[in-house]
Amino acid sequence: MNWLSLFSDPNTQWILMGSMLLGLCSGVIGSFAYLRKQSLMGDALSHAALPGVCLAYMVTGTKSIFFFLIGAIIAGILATVAIGYITRNSRIKQDSALGIILTVFFGVGIVLLTQIQHSSSGNQSGLDKFLFGHAASMIKLDVYTIAGISAVLVALCFLFFKEFKLLSFDPGFAKGIGLPTILLDQFMMLLIVTAVVIGIQAVGVVLMAALLITPAVAARYWTEKLHVMVILSGLFGAFSGFAGTLVSSMVNNLPTGPLIVLSATVLFIISVLVAPNRGVLAKTRLRFSVKNEHKLFTNKQVKEKSL
């Protein structure tokens, strides 16, 4: 299939637009989660969203992103509260608490999903597609919804950029100058949950955490400045959505969600190899340069001593 002809297909246009906007907003939000060393938190919240989505469908009987968002937000809030409670009131560390909550909520979600599939409306629900995503099912209304929510999420990130920057690098100082760090932390978790919900249709619950973190990690290799990293992460996420959707459209029987994540992984590998200063090639070149300079300096000293 000629890849240029794909852009004339309205359905492909909607899927491309939705995937790119999703990648953009995921990359921007994921930057702060990565810098705060809460990569596993994004994974936990994405898995915790599944029971919320299932309960929203069971209550309303419709596949509406709006109702899914409400259900996932409630589930995400419960998950963050549970993680905080376990961490504060026991000897269990945060990473262990995250693992516990992740598996428990995801297990409950799988049970509810199985129950829905065996119900009278199970054949029409199609919620199993939300595990690994089904971008081909996106319609114009879905893209408009993703576009609107993505724009709000990105705008909020830039509006609270200074606060999130302080919270990411020095939460103690942020608390000392009077910033409501607990509220800001919960607010950031809310943004992550919202990004997860709008992404489950394209990428799926299981892989959404990768789309949040991988562009941010790749962007970190290219710069030392936070605002540049956030912009690069958003662009990497948007390009991943574009490339994954394009490959999926050109090759039959290839899922869009995993290909989007694989595209982000390719960008990460390229960043690891060729990024200036932090890349493997740059470090290898620097190591050889230092080694050669040391060798020349040693030879010079030997010659001077011999004279």
Side-chain angles (χ1 to χ4, degrees):
M1 181 184 291
N2 185 2
W3 66 275
L4 289 174
S5 64
L6 293 172
F7 296 102
S8 61
D9 181 17
N11 187 48
T12 304
Q13 291 174 0
W14 295 124
I15 298 172
L16 274 171
M17 186 63 66
S19 299
M20 289 176 65
L21 291 171
L22 172 64
L24 174 66
C25 111
S26 299
V28 171
I29 295 173
S31 299
F32 298 104
Y34 166 69
L35 289 174
R36 298 190 65 217
K37 298 180 179 180
Q38 290 188 335
S39 302
L40 189 58
M41 177 64 82
D43 195 19
L45 291 179
S46 62
H47 284 73
L50 183 60
V53 169
C54 291
L55 286 173
Y57 175 80
M58 295 173 73
V59 172
T60 62
T62 59
K63 288 191 297 180
S64 169
I65 291 183
F66 175 75
F67 292 118
F68 288 168
L69 180 62
I70 295 175
I73 287 174
I74 294 173
I77 291 173
L78 289 176
T80 52
V81 169
I83 291 167
Y85 180 82
I86 292 173
T87 305
R88 288 191 302 268
N89 296 279
S90 69
R91 295 185 178 181
I92 299 175
K93 294 183 179 180
Q94 189 183 40
D95 57 343
S96 300
L98 284 167
I100 293 170
I101 296 302
L102 184 153
T103 52
V104 169
F105 272 71
F106 191 64
V108 172
I110 293 296
V111 171
L112 293 175
L113 189 61
T114 305
Q115 184 67 29
I116 291 172
Q117 294 302 316
H118 286 87
S119 64
S120 59
S121 60
N123 293 331
Q124 289 76 33
S125 65
L127 291 181
D128 57 323
K129 300 293 184 182
F130 288 165
L131 285 176
F132 300 103
H134 190 58
S137 64
M138 281 197 295
I139 58 176
K140 184 187 294 188
L141 180 60
D142 294 332
V143 175
Y144 284 160
T145 304
I146 291 174
I149 296 177
S150 297
V152 171
L153 292 179
V154 172
L156 287 173
C157 284
F158 282 99
L159 185 63
F160 289 91
F161 181 80
K162 291 183 179 179
E163 289 79 4
F164 287 167
K165 182 178 180 179
L166 274 177
L167 199 63
S168 300
F169 290 104
D170 197 343
F173 178 73
K175 187 175 182 179
I177 62 175
L179 288 179
T181 54
I182 296 178
L183 287 177
L184 285 172
D185 185 67
Q186 295 300 317
F187 180 59
M188 190 178 294
M189 293 303 105
L190 181 63
L191 296 183
I192 294 175
V193 172
T194 307
V196 167
V197 173
I198 65 172
I200 56 176
Q201 188 168 1
V203 182
V205 169
V206 176
L207 298 175
M208 189 58 204
L211 191 59
L212 281 167
I213 301 302
T214 307
V217 178
R220 184 68 180 91
Y221 275 87
W222 294 90
T223 182
E224 300 287 343
K225 298 179 179 180
L226 178 59
H227 67 280
V228 178
M229 175 189 168
V230 172
I231 294 173
L232 277 178
S233 181
L235 292 176
F236 285 168
F239 178 80
S240 301
F242 174 82
T245 304
L246 191 63
V247 173
S248 176
S249 301
M250 293 177 64
V251 183
N252 292 328
N253 300 320
L254 285 181
T256 306
L259 284 173
I260 292 174
V261 174
L262 286 175
S263 299
T265 305
V266 170
L267 286 175
F268 166 71
I269 293 173
I270 293 173
S271 301
V272 170
L273 292 176
V274 303
N277 302 326
R278 290 174 171 267
V280 173
L281 294 179
K283 288 184 178 180
T284 303
R285 195 183 307 115
L286 178 62
R287 192 180 299 114
F288 275 108
S289 176
V290 171
K291 187 176 180 180
N292 289 334
E293 288 181 3
H294 178 71
K295 187 176 181 180
L296 290 172
F297 180 74
T298 304
N299 292 337
K300 184 179 179 181
Q301 283 186 325
V302 171
K303 288 181 179 179
E304 290 177 351
K305 287 181 179 180
S306 63
L307 292 175

